[in-house]
Amino acid sequence: MKTFVFDIGETLVRDDRYWGSWADWLGTPRHTLSALVGAVTAQGLDNSEALKLVRPGIDIPAEYAAREAAGRGEHLDESDLYEDVRPALTRLQARGMRVVVAGNQTARAGELLRTLDLPADIVATSEEWGCAKPSAEFFARVLDASGAPAKDTVYVGDHPANDTFPAAEAGLRTAHLRRGPWGHLWANDRRVREEADWVVESLVELAAIVEE
């Protein structure tokens, strides 16, 4: 292996704050919105559909802009990172691996992540690239950022439909992370077990892949 590429939400960063702030903005209980996010995603829909269930007809970009203008927009700090993120990424770099962070997030999220000074060579988001998972274009950009052949690049994520399956179709190696709602929901799925090269419980397990 030469490069490890990481999804963002529920791989590196907890989504609690993101969805909690949306619930507060829309005036709905946090548990309600969280449950709806789970429901729509399990149905194969984009998680933003949950916002439309809470407020039918919502203009999501307009509401996003209004939140930012009100000083209640996106926020990320060290407390949003999972505890194993810095140790795992640092260990991979120490072993000579290139580390890339690339997921379906806003440009603002990309800015916030870069201020955290993660042990990563590149941090990029779908909005910055102008394409999103699970599109082939997104994974072509992943390979550009990787700087290594697909067979020497590992994509790490928690969501089969957005991470494991499209990355495998693009020829990358894949590690399914059993973390967060989607990681736990599909960790024992037959297709995930068949198509993922590895299923891991923690990011610190990835260092062993380098040594295989």
Side-chain angles (χ1 to χ4, degrees), residues 32-206:
T32 297
L33 183 57
S34 180
L36 288 172
V37 170
V40 299
T41 306
Q43 293 174 35
L45 303 173
D46 187 84
N47 51 25
S48 65
E49 293 297 316
L51 301 177
K52 299 176 184 178
L53 292 174
V54 170
R55 182 179 292 179
I58 185 174
D59 182 334
I60 295 175
E63 290 294 331
Y64 181 92
R67 284 182 55 201
E68 292 289 341
R72 296 173 60 184
E74 283 194 80
H75 177 81
L76 284 172
D77 61 32
E78 193 72 20
S79 67
D80 295 299
L81 295 176
Y82 279 100
E83 291 80 1
D84 59 356
V85 171
R86 288 192 183 278
L89 272 57
T90 298
R91 193 173 301 175
L92 289 171
Q93 285 192 325
R95 284 165 169 72
M97 298 295 106
R98 183 173 173 81
V99 173
V100 176
V101 174
N104 279 358
Q105 301 285 340
T106 63
R108 175 60 176 157
E111 294 172 1
L112 292 168
L113 281 168
R114 285 187 285 273
T115 66
L116 296 180
D117 195 24
L118 293 171
D121 298 282
I122 295 177
V123 175
T125 68
S126 56
E127 186 173 49
E128 292 171 330
W129 279 353
C131 55
K133 295 183 292 185
S135 72
E137 182 182 0
F138 181 91
F139 286 97
R141 292 297 299 269
V142 164
L143 284 174
D144 287 343
S146 165
K151 65 181 178 62
D152 295 326
T153 301
V154 181
Y155 194 84
V156 185
D158 63 300
H159 196 304
N162 281 345
D163 303 325
T164 310
F165 300 155
E169 288 172 6
L172 285 74
R173 309 294 295 278
T174 60
H176 175 82
L177 177 62
R178 191 173 184 270
R179 167 178 290 169
W182 331 130
H184 283 92
L185 180 62
W186 284 300
N188 294 317
D189 179 81
R190 178 186 59 80
R191 187 181 171 196
V192 170
R193 290 284 175 173
E194 289 176 351
E195 294 198 21
D197 293 285
W198 302 274
V199 175
V200 297
E201 301 283 333
S202 167
L203 298 180
V204 296
E205 296 177 39
L206 298 173

